[in-house]
Amino acid sequence: MIIRTLSTLECTKLLAANRFARLACAKDGQPYVVPLYYAHSDHHLYAFSMLGKKIDWMRVNPLVSAQVDERGSGRAWKSVIVDGRYEELPDRIGHKLQRDQAWALLSKHADWWEPGALKPGTSPTADDLPHVFFRIFIANVSGRQAMES
């Protein structure tokens, strides 16, 4: 097996080609990792979520990481790590352009809202529950690829 480092361009292409990541945040020295559906654009990962543990923790500590991977044939794979900063996009003046951009990017995909809008035991029609649009500013990106030798 051969392991190589991905270029920044290759990392960006992998982020743009995918929609699913694992998001890591931390509070009081305790890490927390959750699945996240996202859209990538202009050095940001855009996402949507209900209020809960990850939003609470990112509000306290906005430094986060995200990991995206692709499996290849056999034992081949690619993986990208994003180190970044949580930025909430509230429904207020001053954030409309970024919030509209998040909506436009995410809504390109069918049922884009479901992963972020559903919690255990809730119905898909929970439109009145509080929700949050946010983005992760990508401060650093790195990646690796494993190939059969």
Side-chain angles (χ1 to χ4, degrees):
M1 176 158 286
I2 298 169
I3 305 288
R4 74 174 190 88
T5 300
L6 296 176
S7 69
T8 300
L9 179 59
E10 290 172 308
C11 292
T12 301
K13 285 181 178 181
L14 190 134
L15 292 173
N18 287 278
R19 293 191 51 231
F20 180 77
R22 289 161 192 85
L23 176 70
C25 53
K27 180 179 160 192
D28 300 328
Q30 177 64 50
Y32 180 57
V33 178
V34 295
L36 179 75
Y37 281 89
Y38 72 91
H40 174 265
S41 179
D42 302 322
H43 301 291
H44 290 90
L45 302 180
Y46 288 86
F48 167 83
S49 179
M50 300 298 287
L51 291 174
K53 187 173 181 176
K54 77 175 164 288
I55 298 297
D56 292 344
W57 284 31
M58 290 188 298
R59 285 175 171 171
V60 171
N61 177 6
L63 300 178
V64 299
S65 291
Q67 186 267 337
V68 177
D69 58 52
E70 288 182 350
R71 295 222 15 146
S73 61
R75 298 184 308 156
W77 52 263
K78 291 180 185 177
S79 178
V80 170
I81 301 290
V82 167
D83 294 320
R85 185 180 66 249
Y86 168 77
E87 298 174 346
E88 197 160 319
L89 304 173
D91 193 10
R92 293 194 306 255
I93 295 173
H95 298 277
K96 182 167 178 25
L97 288 176
Q98 295 93 349
R99 192 175 170 91
D100 288 350
Q101 181 179 16
W103 177 279
L105 290 167
L106 291 165
S107 65
K108 288 180 181 178
H109 305 283
D111 299 331
W112 63 272
W113 56 272
E114 268 189 343
L118 300 178
K119 287 196 170 287
T122 63
S123 70
T125 59
D127 294 333
D128 57 338
L129 295 176
H131 57 276
V132 175
F133 282 95
F134 66 93
R135 66 185 181 182
I136 305 300
F137 169 74
I138 300 172
N140 186 47
V141 65
S142 61
R144 301 267 169 84
Q145 178 179 19
M147 302 171 285
E148 298 286 343
S149 51

Coordinates of all heavy atoms in Angstrom, one line a residue, residues 21-64:
A21 N -20.0 14.5 6.2 CA -18.7 14.7 7.0 C -19.0 14.2 8.4 O -20.1 14.0 8.8 CB -18.3 16.1 7.0
R22 N -17.9 14.1 9.1 CA -18.0 13.9 10.6 C -17.4 15.1 11.2 O -16.3 15.6 10.9 CB -17.1 12.7 11.0 CG -17.8 11.4 10.6 CD -16.8 10.2 10.5 NE -17.4 9.1 9.9 CZ -17.3 8.9 8.5 NH1 -16.8 9.8 7.8 NH2 -17.8 7.8 8.0
L23 N -18.2 15.8 12.1 CA -17.9 17.1 12.7 C -17.4 16.8 14.1 O -18.1 16.2 14.9 CB -19.1 18.0 12.6 CG -18.9 19.4 13.3 CD1 -17.9 20.2 12.5 CD2 -20.2 20.0 13.5
A24 N -16.3 17.4 14.4 CA -15.7 17.2 15.8 C -15.7 18.6 16.5 O -15.2 19.6 15.9 CB -14.3 16.7 15.8
C25 N -16.3 18.7 17.7 CA -16.2 19.9 18.5 C -15.8 19.5 19.9 O -15.8 18.3 20.2 CB -17.6 20.6 18.4 SG -19.0 19.7 18.9
A26 N -15.5 20.4 20.7 CA -15.1 20.1 22.1 C -15.6 21.2 23.0 O -15.7 22.4 22.7 CB -13.6 20.0 22.1
K27 N -15.8 20.7 24.3 CA -16.2 21.6 25.3 C -15.6 21.1 26.6 O -15.8 19.9 26.9 CB -17.7 21.7 25.4 CG -18.2 22.7 26.5 CD -19.8 22.7 26.5 CE -20.3 23.2 27.8 NZ -21.7 23.0 27.9
D28 N -15.0 22.0 27.4 CA -14.4 21.6 28.7 C -13.5 20.4 28.6 O -13.5 19.5 29.4 CB -15.5 21.3 29.7 CG -16.4 22.5 30.0 OD1 -15.9 23.7 29.9 OD2 -17.6 22.3 30.3
G29 N -12.7 20.3 27.5 CA -11.8 19.2 27.2 C -12.4 17.9 26.8 O -11.7 16.9 26.6
Q30 N -13.7 17.9 26.5 CA -14.4 16.7 26.1 C -14.7 16.8 24.6 O -15.5 17.7 24.2 CB -15.7 16.4 26.9 CG -16.5 15.2 26.4 CD -15.8 13.9 26.6 OE1 -15.3 13.7 27.7 NE2 -15.7 13.1 25.6
P31 N -14.2 15.9 23.8 CA -14.5 15.9 22.3 C -15.9 15.3 22.1 O -16.4 14.5 22.9 CB -13.4 15.1 21.7 CG -12.9 14.2 22.8 CD -13.1 14.9 24.1
Y32 N -16.5 15.7 21.0 CA -17.8 15.2 20.6 C -17.8 15.1 19.0 O -17.5 16.1 18.4 CB -18.9 16.2 21.1 CG -20.3 15.8 20.8 CD1 -20.9 14.6 21.1 CD2 -21.1 16.8 20.1 CE1 -22.2 14.3 20.8 CE2 -22.5 16.5 19.8 CZ -23.0 15.3 20.2 OH -24.3 15.0 19.9
V33 N -18.2 14.0 18.4 CA -18.1 13.8 17.0 C -19.5 13.4 16.5 O -20.2 12.5 17.1 CB -17.1 12.7 16.6 CG1 -17.2 12.5 15.1 CG2 -15.7 13.1 17.0
V34 N -20.0 14.1 15.5 CA -21.4 13.8 14.9 C -21.3 13.8 13.4 O -20.5 14.5 12.8 CB -22.4 14.9 15.4 CG1 -22.6 14.8 16.9 CG2 -22.0 16.3 15.0
P35 N -22.3 13.1 12.8 CA -22.4 13.2 11.3 C -23.0 14.5 10.9 O -23.7 15.1 11.7 CB -23.4 12.0 11.0 CG -24.1 11.8 12.3 CD -23.2 12.2 13.4
L36 N -22.6 15.0 9.7 CA -23.0 16.3 9.3 C -23.2 16.2 7.8 O -22.3 15.8 7.0 CB -22.0 17.3 9.6 CG -22.3 18.8 9.2 CD1 -23.3 19.4 10.1 CD2 -21.0 19.6 9.2
Y37 N -24.3 16.7 7.3 CA -24.5 16.9 5.9 C -24.2 18.4 5.6 O -24.6 19.3 6.4 CB -26.0 16.6 5.4 CG -26.2 15.2 5.3 CD1 -26.6 14.4 6.3 CD2 -26.0 14.5 4.0 CE1 -26.8 13.0 6.2 CE2 -26.2 13.2 3.9 CZ -26.6 12.4 5.0 OH -26.8 11.1 4.8
Y38 N -23.4 18.6 4.5 CA -22.9 20.0 4.3 C -22.9 20.3 2.8 O -23.1 19.4 1.9 CB -21.5 20.1 4.8 CG -20.5 19.4 4.0 CD1 -19.8 20.0 2.9 CD2 -20.2 18.0 4.3 CE1 -18.9 19.2 2.2 CE2 -19.3 17.3 3.5 CZ -18.6 17.9 2.4 OH -17.7 17.2 1.7
A39 N -22.7 21.5 2.5 CA -22.4 22.0 1.1 C -21.1 22.8 1.2 O -20.9 23.6 2.1 CB -23.6 22.8 0.5
H40 N -20.3 22.7 0.2 CA -19.0 23.3 0.2 C -19.0 24.5 -0.8 O -19.4 24.3 -1.9 CB -17.9 22.4 -0.2 CG -16.5 23.0 -0.3 ND1 -16.0 23.4 -1.6 CD2 -15.6 23.3 0.6 CE1 -14.8 23.9 -1.4 NE2 -14.5 23.9 -0.1
S41 N -18.5 25.6 -0.4 CA -18.3 26.8 -1.2 C -17.4 27.8 -0.6 O -17.5 28.1 0.6 CB -19.7 27.4 -1.5 OG -19.5 28.6 -2.4
D42 N -16.5 28.4 -1.4 CA -15.7 29.5 -1.0 C -15.1 29.4 0.4 O -15.3 30.2 1.3 CB -16.5 30.8 -1.0 CG -17.0 31.1 -2.4 OD1 -16.3 30.8 -3.4 OD2 -18.2 31.5 -2.5
H43 N -14.3 28.4 0.6 CA -13.6 28.2 1.9 C -14.5 28.0 3.1 O -14.1 28.3 4.2 CB -12.6 29.3 2.2 CG -11.6 29.5 1.2 ND1 -10.6 28.6 0.9 CD2 -11.4 30.4 0.2 CE1 -9.8 29.0 -0.1 NE2 -10.3 30.1 -0.5
H44 N -15.7 27.5 2.9 CA -16.7 27.2 3.9 C -17.4 25.9 3.7 O -17.6 25.5 2.6 CB -17.7 28.3 4.0 CG -17.2 29.6 4.5 ND1 -16.7 30.6 3.7 CD2 -17.1 30.1 5.8 CE1 -16.3 31.6 4.4 NE2 -16.6 31.4 5.6
L45 N -17.8 25.2 4.8 CA -18.8 24.2 4.8 C -20.1 24.7 5.3 O -20.0 25.2 6.5 CB -18.3 23.0 5.6 CG -17.0 22.3 5.2 CD1 -16.7 21.2 6.2 CD2 -16.9 21.9 3.8
Y46 N -21.1 24.7 4.6 CA -22.4 25.2 5.0 C -23.3 24.1 5.5 O -23.3 23.0 4.9 CB -23.1 26.0 3.9 CG -22.5 27.3 3.5 CD1 -21.4 27.3 2.6 CD2 -22.9 28.5 4.1 CE1 -20.8 28.5 2.3 CE2 -22.3 29.7 3.8 CZ -21.2 29.7 2.9 OH -20.6 30.9 2.6
A47 N -24.0 24.3 6.6 CA -24.9 23.3 7.2 C -26.1 23.9 7.9 O -26.2 25.1 8.1 CB -24.1 22.4 8.1
F48 N -27.0 23.0 8.3 CA -28.2 23.3 8.9 C -28.5 22.3 10.1 O -28.2 21.1 9.9 CB -29.3 23.1 7.9 CG -30.7 23.2 8.4 CD1 -31.4 24.3 8.6 CD2 -31.4 22.0 8.6 CE1 -32.7 24.3 9.1 CE2 -32.7 22.0 9.0 CZ -33.4 23.2 9.3
S49 N -29.0 22.7 11.2 CA -29.2 21.8 12.3 C -30.3 22.4 13.2 O -30.5 23.6 13.3 CB -27.9 21.7 13.1 OG -28.1 20.8 14.2
M50 N -30.9 21.5 14.0 CA -31.7 21.8 15.1 C -30.8 22.2 16.2 O -29.7 21.9 16.3 CB -32.6 20.7 15.5 CG -33.5 20.2 14.4 SD -34.7 21.4 13.8 CE -35.8 21.4 15.2
L51 N -31.4 23.0 17.2 CA -30.6 23.3 18.4 C -30.3 22.0 19.1 O -31.2 21.1 19.1 CB -31.4 24.2 19.3 CG -31.6 25.6 18.8 CD1 -32.5 26.4 19.7 CD2 -30.3 26.3 18.6
G52 N -29.2 21.9 19.8 CA -28.8 20.7 20.5 C -27.4 20.8 20.9 O -26.8 21.8 20.9
K53 N -26.9 19.6 21.3 CA -25.5 19.6 21.9 C -24.4 20.2 21.0 O -23.6 21.0 21.5 CB -25.2 18.1 22.2 CG -23.9 17.9 23.0 CD -23.8 16.4 23.4 CE -22.6 16.2 24.2 NZ -22.5 14.8 24.7
K54 N -24.4 19.8 19.7 CA -23.3 20.3 18.9 C -23.4 21.8 18.7 O -22.4 22.5 18.8 CB -23.3 19.6 17.5 CG -24.3 20.0 16.5 CD -24.0 19.3 15.2 CE -25.2 19.4 14.2 NZ -26.3 18.5 14.7
I55 N -24.6 22.4 18.5 CA -24.7 23.9 18.4 C -24.3 24.5 19.8 O -23.6 25.5 19.8 CB -26.2 24.3 18.0 CG1 -26.5 23.7 16.6 CG2 -26.3 25.8 18.1 CD1 -25.7 24.2 15.5
D56 N -24.8 24.0 20.9 CA -24.4 24.5 22.2 C -22.9 24.5 22.4 O -22.3 25.5 22.8 CB -25.1 23.7 23.3 CG -26.6 23.8 23.4 OD1 -27.1 24.8 22.8 OD2 -27.2 23.0 24.0
W57 N -22.3 23.4 22.0 CA -20.8 23.3 22.2 C -20.1 24.2 21.3 O -19.1 24.8 21.7 CB -20.4 21.8 22.0 CG -20.7 20.9 23.2 CD1 -21.8 21.1 24.1 CD2 -20.0 19.8 23.6 NE1 -21.7 20.0 25.0 CE2 -20.6 19.3 24.7 CE3 -18.8 19.2 23.1 CZ2 -20.2 18.1 25.4 CZ3 -18.4 18.0 23.8 CH2 -19.0 17.5 24.9
M58 N -20.5 24.3 20.0 CA -19.8 25.2 19.1 C -20.0 26.7 19.4 O -19.1 27.5 19.1 CB -20.3 24.9 17.6 CG -19.8 23.5 17.1 SD -20.1 23.2 15.4 CE -21.9 23.3 15.3
R59 N -21.1 27.0 20.0 CA -21.3 28.4 20.5 C -20.3 28.7 21.6 O -19.8 29.8 21.7 CB -22.7 28.6 21.0 CG -23.7 28.7 19.9 CD -25.1 28.8 20.4 NE -26.1 29.1 19.4 CZ -27.4 29.1 19.5 NH1 -27.9 28.7 20.7 NH2 -28.2 29.4 18.5
V60 N -19.9 27.7 22.4 CA -19.0 27.9 23.5 C -17.6 27.9 23.0 O -16.7 28.7 23.4 CB -19.2 26.9 24.6 CG1 -18.1 26.9 25.7 CG2 -20.5 27.0 25.3
N61 N -17.3 27.0 22.1 CA -15.9 26.8 21.6 C -16.1 26.7 20.0 O -16.4 25.6 19.5 CB -15.2 25.6 22.1 CG -13.8 25.3 21.5 OD1 -13.3 26.1 20.7 ND2 -13.2 24.2 21.9
P62 N -15.8 27.7 19.3 CA -16.1 27.7 17.8 C -15.0 26.9 17.0 O -15.2 26.8 15.8 CB -16.1 29.2 17.4 CG -15.3 29.8 18.5 CD -15.5 29.1 19.7
L63 N -13.9 26.5 17.6 CA -12.9 25.8 16.9 C -13.4 24.3 16.7 O -13.6 23.6 17.7 CB -11.6 25.8 17.7 CG -11.0 27.2 17.9 CD1 -9.7 27.2 18.7 CD2 -10.8 27.9 16.6
V64 N -13.4 23.9 15.5 CA -13.9 22.6 15.1 C -13.0 21.9 14.1 O -12.2 22.6 13.5 CB -15.4 22.6 14.6 CG1 -16.3 23.2 15.6 CG2 -15.4 23.5 13.3

